[in-house]
Amino acid sequence: SQQGEEDPQALSIQEGENATMNCSYKTSINNLQWYRQNSGRGLVHLILIRSNEREKHSGRLRVTLDTSKKSSSLLITASRAADTASYFCATDAGSGGSNYKLTFGKGTLLTVNP
Amino acid sequence: DAGVIQSPRHEVTEMGQEVTLRCKPISGHNSLFWYRQTMMRGLELLIYFNNNVPIDDSGMPEDRFSAKMPNASFSTLKIQPSEPRDSAVYFCASSLGGWRGYTFGSGTRLTVV
């Protein structure tokens, strides 16, 4: 079953604009991660935010986490055509130790038009 | 490091045939995961290993699917016999576990006709 649900399913913007994608999940988590997938390729890890963190930055990426609402958002600032890809949130709800596995949402397809 | 290496990249086979997908994780990573991606169901975790030991295979759809990890540098996912509904992209990923992300391979696109 899908733990995370991304919203919107698809997003189309112009180069230079900001893109915001949201993720909602159902159970308590240890951490939440965002991945990017270019067409025909594997997923690439972008950023991880722990359950006790509220915001994290990495370059043009900003991730927020609201555990009370069980939701997260990924903001990409000053988007570029090369940011065109599918973006997935993934949650780790394991019990720790060797029980570490990610459950992925179905993704948001971002198209950045030049 | 060359990353997670999967082979073959593409596989077309006839229904009923045996299919074996291969994965070489990143050296030093102690966790290995097999995922299946389809348009309808998205990314599904099939099985994962920790230190070469299968931890959770509850995502393996049927007894036709089996996975092994004989050593830290190699894993296989086997489908026998294959069926058209097994057509999907199969990804292998590895991780150092805990608070670290996964590194995915480029995937194997399987088509069963």
Side-chain angles (χ1 to χ4, degrees), chain B residues 85-102:
Chain B
R85 60 193 167 120
D86 301 330
S87 297
V89 181
Y90 290 81
F91 287 103
C92 174
S94 68
S95 171
L96 279 168
W99 303 106
R100 298 169 178 88
Y102 291 6

Side-chain angles (χ1 to χ4, degrees), chain B residues 2-43:
Chain B
V4 176
I5 299 172
Q6 289 187 247
S7 65
R9 285 299 309 275
H10 302 274
E11 176 82 33
V12 180
T13 191
E14 290 186 347
M15 183 174 62
Q17 296 297 306
E18 177 180 296
V19 176
T20 299
L21 311 181
R22 297 173 176 80
C23 175
K24 177 179 168 54
I26 289 177
S27 177
H29 281 192
N30 61 349
S31 297
L32 182 139
F33 308 84
W34 283 100
Y35 282 84
R36 177 172 69 178
Q37 186 177 37
T38 60
M39 288 295 291
M40 288 296 294
R41 292 191 296 269
L43 272 159

Side-chain angles (χ1 to χ4, degrees), chain A residues 7-61:
Chain A
D7 169 60
Q9 289 187 330
L11 179 63
S12 182
I13 60 173
Q14 296 299 122
E15 210 165 23
E17 293 180 341
N18 296 341
T20 299
M21 288 159 272
N22 302 297
C23 170
S24 59
Y25 57 91
K26 296 173 183 163
T27 65
S28 296
I29 59 171
N30 298 316
N31 66 71
L32 184 144
Q33 304 179 25
W34 285 90
Y35 287 77
R36 183 188 73 227
Q37 184 179 33
N38 290 87
S39 180
R41 310 291 291 272
L43 284 77
V44 174
H45 180 254
L46 296 175
I47 195 164
L48 179 154
I49 186 164
R50 301 186 183 200
S51 60
N52 61 354
E53 297 176 313
R54 292 297 166 256
E55 189 171 311
K56 204 160 182 181
H57 298 254
S58 176
R60 294 184 296 114
L61 305 180

